Amino acid sequence: TSSTTPVETTSIAFLLSTATPGSTYSRLPTKELPAVTSIPSTQTTTTTAVQLTSTALQPLAEYQEFTLNFTIDNLLPTSELNNPMSSLYNSTVANISQLLDELFARSSINLTYSGCQVQRFRRGNGITGTTVDLVCKIRNDSTSPPFDRVKVYREVGQLTLNITKLGPYILQPYSLFVNGY
């Protein structure tokens, strides 16, 4: 014959968060699982059913991302630029990141700019150029105006001498795109 073993119920609260310090949080609804009152058993076992009471906090979007693309004429598309383990890839990523950090420090988004990350290098439209695809981040700040891709496009264009020069790199003049603009 089977016997039933009484089961105790316990509430456990979980905090689920992937936010960084200083994030703003919003409360999510609490979910409870039904408690089990008994479990049939043919052996002597101790079984505990747990009632989960989850009070999760979810960060509001702390950063806004935008895409940035441009083509460099004096950077040849090579297999090394597609290999994240190569020294050429890593030095080019570091150099472009530093140049963009310096450029955005002189722009209207300087206070909220958080950095750009190279996503990939690909063959440009020309014979020798390499297109750089980046994702850049700005902090969502209630005191700053909303992100304006046209304004950022114009500023980047101006700060690169009409989209012709970024540090040692020669840019293709009509290759700049900010969030597709």
Side-chain angles (χ1 to χ4, degrees):
T1 68
S2 69
S3 64
T4 59
T5 306
V7 177
E8 65 182 76
T9 59
T10 309
S11 291
I12 299 176
F14 291 93
L15 178 63
L16 303 174
S17 173
T18 58
T20 56
S23 296
T24 306
Y25 295 92
S26 63
R27 188 170 289 282
L28 295 178
T30 299
K31 293 183 179 180
E32 292 188 24
L33 297 176
V36 177
T37 54
S38 64
I39 298 176
S41 175
T42 56
Q43 301 176 9
T44 305
T45 58
T46 304
T47 307
T48 304
V50 179
Q51 178 181 0
L52 298 176
T53 304
S54 173
T55 305
L57 297 177
Q58 181 177 357
L60 297 174
E62 188 174 348
Y63 291 93
Q64 178 181 349
E65 294 181 337
F66 65 94
T67 57
L68 181 68
N69 316 86
F70 51 83
T71 300
I72 301 174
D73 272 339
N74 61 338
L75 182 62
L76 298 175
T78 65
S79 59
E80 279 186 281
L81 278 178
N82 290 318
N83 179 3
M85 303 306 272
S86 77
S87 60
L88 176 63
Y89 175 91
N90 288 302
S91 64
T92 305
V93 165
N95 196 22
I96 290 172
S97 295
Q98 180 181 355
L99 290 167
L100 290 174
D101 288 349
E102 292 168 4
L103 181 144
F104 283 118
R106 299 186 319 261
S107 75
S108 66
I109 62 171
N110 65 338
L111 297 178
T112 58
Y113 173 76
S114 182
C116 289
Q117 184 175 8
V118 172
Q119 299 299 297
R120 68 179 177 150
F121 296 104
R122 58 185 166 91
R123 184 173 299 280
N125 293 333
I127 296 170
T128 60
T130 297
T131 297
V132 185
D133 296 324
L134 302 109
V135 172
C136 303
K137 290 184 180 182
I138 56 172
R139 282 187 314 280
N140 280 337
D141 184 349
S142 61
T143 62
S144 299
F147 178 75
D148 182 346
R149 69 182 183 162
V150 175
K151 183 176 183 179
V152 172
Y153 172 88
R154 289 180 180 150
E155 288 179 348
V156 171
Q158 185 179 31
L159 292 169
T160 57
L161 306 176
N162 292 322
I163 316 170
T164 60
K165 189 166 176 57
L166 178 65
Y169 301 113
I170 298 169
L171 305 180
Q172 284 185 5
Y174 298 100
S175 68
L176 175 66
F177 291 92
V178 175
N179 261 4
Y181 177 85

